[in-house]
């Protein structure tokens, strides 16, 4: 399954057994009580199949500490840069958030109220329960279920999204090279290497240690790292996967003392991962110097 499946510390999701509401009047106006003890209310309720164990769900989710003077927000997925996904699992305890997910269809909006101590100890498996959580403390969850899909459907969607992002990055790199009159043909992988100062001797071989000075930039000129500024070249074993693929391929084209520029497509860089100051699907430019071959 892709690494993009997430729901940070707020998550974990599902369980059956909600059944009919109890006859006892709910202490929370507008809410009904499930047999498990969890309180729930629908804002929007659709028809069809509900989420089940093994499904992937995309949700907007927030949870609040319930207090007499007003509930306070603890966590929300609504500020995340990417949609929040998770795998629907078996219950961690009767009446946890998984039970709520089992009641929801695609497009549903619901609210759940459950015991905070149980959530932190059994669902989040927190080694230390926050001091504000007492045995009687309750949490209120606000959940919008944007989508429900099988794992196969999720993986297919993520793959299509990734392919589209790489295609967009390739077009951006091609446009940059054209605008800057860089006519060097790319290698089969898409790497473009432009020599600015020829070196001498042989090229390094896979497994040899090389020392390289570099300055890394994004296409907009933003410098994200530089060994030159630190005054110390990087050392690594060539072709062993210790650096990004574009480096392993590009440095192998150089000779000792040679300087050049590597134009690295996103698929040969950090791909769809966020690497600190480098956004996902970023094309990279490296001004490099092969200082030594050991």
């Amino acid at each position: 399954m892709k690494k993009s499946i997430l729901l940070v510390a707020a998550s974990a999701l599902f369980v059956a057994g909600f059944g009919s509401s109890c006859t006892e009047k709910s202490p929370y106006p507008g809410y009904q009580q499930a047999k498990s003890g969890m309180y729930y209310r629908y804002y929007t309720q659709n028809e069809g199949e509900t989420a089940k164990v093994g499904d992937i769900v995309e949700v907007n989710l927030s949870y609040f500490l319930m207090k007499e003077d007003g509930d306070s927000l603890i966590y929300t997925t609504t500020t995340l840069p990417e949609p929040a996904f998770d795998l629907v699992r078996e219950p961690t305890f009767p009446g946890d958030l998984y039970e709520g997910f089992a009641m929801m269809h695609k497009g549903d909006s619901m609210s759940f109220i459950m015991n905070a101590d149980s959530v932190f100890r059994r669902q989040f498996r927190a080694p230390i329960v926050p001091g504000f959580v007492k045995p009687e403390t309750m949490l209120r969850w606000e959940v919008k279920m944007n989508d429900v899909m099988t794992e196969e459907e999720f993986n297919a969607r993520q793959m299509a999204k990734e392919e589209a992002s790489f295609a967009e990055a390739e077009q951006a790199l091609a446009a940059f090279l054209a605008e800057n009159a860089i006519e060097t043909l790319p290698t089969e992988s898409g790497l473009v290497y432009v020599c600015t100062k020829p070196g001498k001797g042989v090229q390094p071989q896979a497994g040899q240690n090389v020392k390289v000075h570099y300055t890394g930039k994004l296409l907009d000129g933003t410098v994200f790292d530089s060994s030159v500024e630190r005054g110390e070249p990087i050392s690594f074993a060539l072709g062993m996967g210790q650096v990004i693929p574009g480096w392993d391929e590009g440095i192998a084209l150089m000779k000792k003392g040679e300087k050049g520029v590597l134009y690295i497509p996103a698929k040969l860089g950090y791909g769809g991962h966020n690497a600190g100051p480098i956004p996902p699907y970023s094309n990279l430019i490296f001004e490099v110097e092969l200082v030594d071959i050991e």
Side-chain angles (χ1 to χ4, degrees):
M1 190 178 301
K2 296 286 184 180
K3 290 184 179 178
S4 54
I5 300 177
L6 49 88
L7 247 200
V8 287
S11 88
L13 317 146
F14 182 69
V15 68
F18 37 93
S20 59
S21 60
C22 298
T23 55
E24 182 181 354
K25 184 177 180 181
S26 168
Y28 307 104
Y31 286 80
Q32 301 180 65
Q33 188 177 28
K35 290 181 178 180
S36 63
M38 178 185 70
Y39 295 93
Y40 67 94
R41 67 179 296 180
Y42 284 95
Y43 299 122
T44 304
Q45 185 175 13
N46 294 286
E47 297 181 351
E49 293 187 8
T50 55
K52 59 184 181 299
V53 172
D55 285 342
I56 304 296
V57 292
E58 177 189 331
V59 296
N60 292 339
L61 177 151
S62 304
Y63 68 93
F64 302 77
L65 180 69
M66 298 187 71
K67 301 184 297 182
E68 290 185 1
D69 58 350
D71 299 350
S72 59
L73 176 67
I74 299 178
Y75 174 81
T76 182
T77 65
T78 58
T79 57
L80 297 177
E82 297 289 334
F85 298 97
D86 208 351
L87 172 68
V88 178
R89 310 167 193 266
E90 294 288 352
T92 55
F93 67 91
D96 74 355
L97 189 58
Y98 292 128
E99 178 174 327
F101 273 65
M103 301 169 69
M104 301 186 74
H105 315 79
K106 178 179 177 179
D108 282 1
S109 296
M110 292 188 72
S111 179
F112 307 102
I113 296 175
M114 59 192 70
N115 181 263
D117 186 73
S118 294
V119 170
F120 277 92
R121 291 183 186 276
R122 303 174 68 178
Q123 186 169 325
F124 293 168
R125 293 185 173 88
I128 301 177
V129 177
F132 60 79
V133 175
K134 308 300 181 184
E136 69 279 5
T137 304
M138 304 296 283
L139 294 181
R140 174 172 60 84
W141 300 78
E142 299 295 329
V143 182
K144 169 67 183 302
M145 184 164 287
N146 299 318
D147 205 355
V148 180
M149 65 203 91
T150 65
E151 185 174 342
E152 291 74 18
E153 290 170 339
F154 173 80
N155 288 337
R157 187 173 84 167
Q158 292 300 101
M159 185 175 296
K161 179 181 177 181
E162 183 174 72
E163 290 175 352
S165 296
F166 278 131
E168 183 178 348
E170 288 178 6
Q171 293 174 1
L173 180 57
F176 177 88
L177 295 173
E179 290 170 3
N180 289 274
I182 299 169
E183 299 179 350
T184 303
L185 294 177
T187 65
E188 185 176 350
S189 70
L191 174 73
V192 174
Y193 171 60
V194 178
C195 176
T196 57
K197 177 188 174 184
K200 298 180 181 180
V202 297
Q203 295 172 324
Q205 301 299 308
Q208 288 185 298
N209 285 328
V210 293
K211 288 186 177 181
V212 180
H213 258 314
Y214 68 91
T215 297
K217 303 177 183 180
L218 303 178
L219 292 192
D220 64 5
T222 300
V223 175
F224 56 80
D225 193 13
S226 176
S227 69
V228 178
E229 293 181 2
R230 293 192 297 272
E232 182 66 33
I234 187 175
S235 179
F236 64 95
L238 186 66
M240 299 291 107
Q242 296 178 0
V243 291
I244 58 175
W247 263 54
D248 267 337
E249 181 181 350
I251 301 303
L253 301 174
M254 304 177 70
K255 297 177 180 179
K256 182 177 178 179
E258 188 165 318
K259 293 184 179 181
V261 182
L262 297 171
Y263 297 93
I264 301 177
K267 64 183 179 181
L268 298 181
Y270 294 96
H273 301 294
N274 190 322
I278 303 174
Y281 303 104
S282 290
N283 301 302
L284 307 174
I285 302 172
F286 281 97
E287 299 170 358
V288 292
E289 177 186 1
L290 180 52
V291 178
D292 200 4
I293 303 173
E294 300 175 344

